[in-house]
Amino acid sequence: MTEPTELTELTALRLVEGFRKGEFSPVDATRAALERAERIQPEVNAFVRLFADEALARARESADRWRRGDPYGPVDGVPVTVKDILLLRGAPTLRGSKTMSEEGSWDEDAPAVARLREQGAVFLGKTTTPEFGWKGVTDSPLSGATRNPYDTSRTAGGSSGGSAAAVALGAGPLSLGTDGGGSVRIPAAFCGIFALKPTYGRVPLYPASAFGTLAHVGPMTRDAADAALLLDVIAAPDARDWSALGPVGASFTDALAGGVRGLRVAYSPSLGGQVAVAPAVAAAVRQAVERLARLGAYVEEADPDFTDPVDAFHTLWFSGAARVTQHLGPRQRESLDPGLREISATGARRSALDYLAAVDVRMELGRRMGRFHESYDLLVTPTLPITAFEAGAEVPKGSGYRRWTGWTPFTYPFNLTQQPAATVPVGADGAGLPVGMQIVAARHRDDLVLRAAHALYEAGFTASFTSPSFTSAGS
C-alpha cells in the first residue's frame, strides 16, 4: 500500500491509474490530501475552508464505483480544490471579501465545478483569493495572506495563490483558478507548478465576471498532462454562459503527443526591451528555450509588435472593480482592501468613451497578435520578470511600481487578446525560488501550448522544480 505522504506527490493521472489497478483507493488519496492540507494551512494559508467529511463521503462513493469497474469519468475520486471565486454547491463563496455574506442557499455550481462533480471528483476545499480577485498577490481583509511554499516570508502570487500553494504542496493535484490578468500564471510561476489560461470561452464561466471578457477559468496542476486531463473535463458547453465556445473537437490529452519538432517558436526575452528581467529569470528561461530547440523546434528570437497596453488594461480592469463594488455603502467600502477601494474609485471616473477607447486598443492588439501567429506557432517569454517577493505587499518593496501590473507585463496582454497562455516551471533563482516560462499560442490553439509544455516535462526538464522542501508539508 502506498503511504499517504507518497500519495500526495502523485499526479491525477497516476492516481486514476492506481484506482483502476486497485493499488490504492480514492479514500486513501483523499485522506492523504486532507492531512496535507491541514498540515500546511497554519503556515501557508492556502484555504478558506476544507470539506473533510463531505470529501471522504464522496471518496467512499467513488471507491465503490471503482470496485465495480464503473467510474463516472476520468477524474472520478481525484481530490480537487476550487478557488473561492467560483461557486461550489453547499459552501459560501465569499470571494475574499468581508462585504459578502455567508447567508443564502448556495445551491449552484459554477460550470467547471459542475462538470467535475458529474465526473465524480472529490472537492477538498475552497482556496484563498484576494478580494474579488483584483490583484496579482493573494491577501485579503477576510482571509489574510497566502504564503509561498518555498519561502513562507514571501507571497504565493495571485490571484489564485491558494490554489497554486495547495497544488505545489500536495493538497490535491488539481485546482480550478481564474485568470483576468495573469491570475493562474502568476502564482503558478511563483510556486513552481503548471497553469493554463485557456482561450477565452473554452471553459464556461457563470456568474459572469465583473471584469468581463478578460476573465478566464483555467487548470492549475502538477504538469501539462494533468492540465489536459482537467481541461478535457471542464471545457464543456454550459447554457448559462452566452459567450462560451462550442464543443471541443478533440481530446486535449490526445493532443499532447507529437512533441515540438517542426514548430515555429518566437522567443521574446523582454518584449523588445520593454521589460527589465532579473538575470536569474532570464537565464532559466533561455535554458528552457534552448531545450525546445534541441527537441526540434525552430526557435528564433523575435518580439511581438506591440507596446505595453497597460493603460487600456487599467481602464477595463478598474472599471470592472468599480462595477463589482458599485452596490456597496460607505461602511462596507471602509472594509475593502485599500488598493481595491482606490482602483474602484478610479474606475468609477472612467467614461463610456474611455472604455470604448480601451476596447479599440484591445482589438488592435488582437489583430497584431493574429498576424504574428501567421509566422510563429508559439511565443515564449518569461512568465514574470522577477521571483516571489515579500508576502502581504502588492508590489516589491523599493520597486517603484504603483500597482501589481508593474511587475506582470508578460501576462495581462494575453488576457486582452484572449489567447491561450501557460506557465511552465523551468528553474530557480539563487534563493531557490521558482522561475516560470510562458508559452502563448494563437486563439483556439490550446493544444499547441499543452503539447509544447508536455514535451518539456517528457524530456525531464521541469522535474526538479516541482517539489518544494517545505518542512510542515510532511514530505
Side-chain angles (χ1 to χ4, degrees), residues 368-406:
R368 288 172 182 263
M369 286 309 302
R371 295 301 298 269
F372 183 82
H373 283 291
E374 290 180 335
S375 300
Y376 300 101
D377 299 304
L378 298 171
L379 168 66
V380 169
T381 74
T383 306
L384 298 165
I386 58 174
T387 52
F389 52 91
E390 61 270 23
E394 183 186 346
V395 301
K397 186 181 299 182
S399 66
Y401 298 132
R402 175 68 181 140
R403 296 264 76 102
W404 62 271
T405 44

Side-chain angles (χ1 to χ4, degrees), residues 59-268:
R60 285 190 285 270
E61 293 170 356
S62 174
D64 288 341
R65 291 191 293 272
W66 280 105
R67 277 193 291 270
R68 296 194 308 267
D70 189 27
Y72 280 167
V75 294
D76 199 336
V78 176
V80 177
T81 57
V82 178
K83 183 181 180 180
D84 199 38
I85 291 289
L86 299 169
L87 295 178
L88 190 152
R89 194 173 74 218
T93 298
L94 302 183
R95 300 176 173 90
S97 182
K98 291 182 175 180
T99 69
M100 296 289 293
S101 171
E102 291 195 16
E103 296 179 4
S105 58
W106 302 107
D107 58 358
E108 197 167 19
D109 284 329
V113 175
R115 302 295 83 78
L116 283 166
R117 190 184 297 278
E118 291 161 1
Q119 299 274 347
V122 174
F123 299 111
L124 293 181
K126 300 295 289 292
T127 58
T128 50
T129 175
E131 197 162 20
F132 300 113
W134 82 270
K135 60 183 175 180
V137 292
T138 299
D139 59 74
S140 73
L142 181 66
S143 307
T146 300
R147 298 176 178 274
N148 193 288
Y150 288 81
D151 180 346
T152 55
S153 72
R154 299 177 188 254
T155 181
S159 61
S160 306
S163 289
V167 171
L169 288 168
L174 305 179
S175 194
L176 293 178
T178 63
D179 190 316
S183 288
V184 299
R185 290 161 289 156
I186 295 165
F190 276 178
C191 293
I193 68 165
F194 181 83
L196 170 70
K197 178 188 75 68
T199 299
Y200 178 79
R202 185 70 280 156
V203 180
L205 176 61
Y206 171 85
S209 172
F211 298 103
T213 57
L214 294 172
H216 303 58
V217 178
M220 305 181 72
T221 59
R222 287 184 172 276
D223 60 21
D226 266 9
L229 170 71
L230 182 50
L231 193 58
D232 278 336
V233 173
I234 64 177
D238 190 291
R240 294 171 293 174
D241 184 353
W242 65 271
S243 64
L245 299 175
V248 180
S251 162
F252 291 106
T253 299
D254 291 346
L256 292 173
V260 296
R261 184 167 299 281
L263 291 182
R264 302 164 299 167
V265 177
Y267 166 45
S268 179

Side-chain angles (χ1 to χ4, degrees), residues 180 197 200 211-216 309 312-313 316-317 355-370 412-419 443:
K197 178 188 75 68
Y200 178 79
F211 298 103
T213 57
L214 294 172
H216 303 58
F313 180 81
L316 300 173
W317 194 252
Y355 193 93
L356 290 173
V359 171
D360 285 343
V361 171
R362 183 180 191 181
M363 290 190 292
E364 173 60 16
L365 181 61
R367 183 194 70 80
R368 288 172 182 263
M369 286 309 302
Y412 57 78
F414 304 108
N415 292 80
L416 289 167
T417 62
Q418 304 187 342
Q419 294 172 248
R443 290 176 73 243

Side-chain angles (χ1 to χ4, degrees), residues 256-265 289 291-299 377-378 439 448-456:
L256 292 173
V260 296
R261 184 167 299 281
L263 291 182
R264 302 164 299 167
V265 177
V289 170
R291 176 60 65 92
L292 287 174
R294 290 198 297 274
L295 291 172
Y298 296 115
V299 178
D377 299 304
L378 298 171
I439 304 174
L448 285 184
V449 174
L450 288 164
R451 187 171 125 201
H454 183 63
L456 288 172

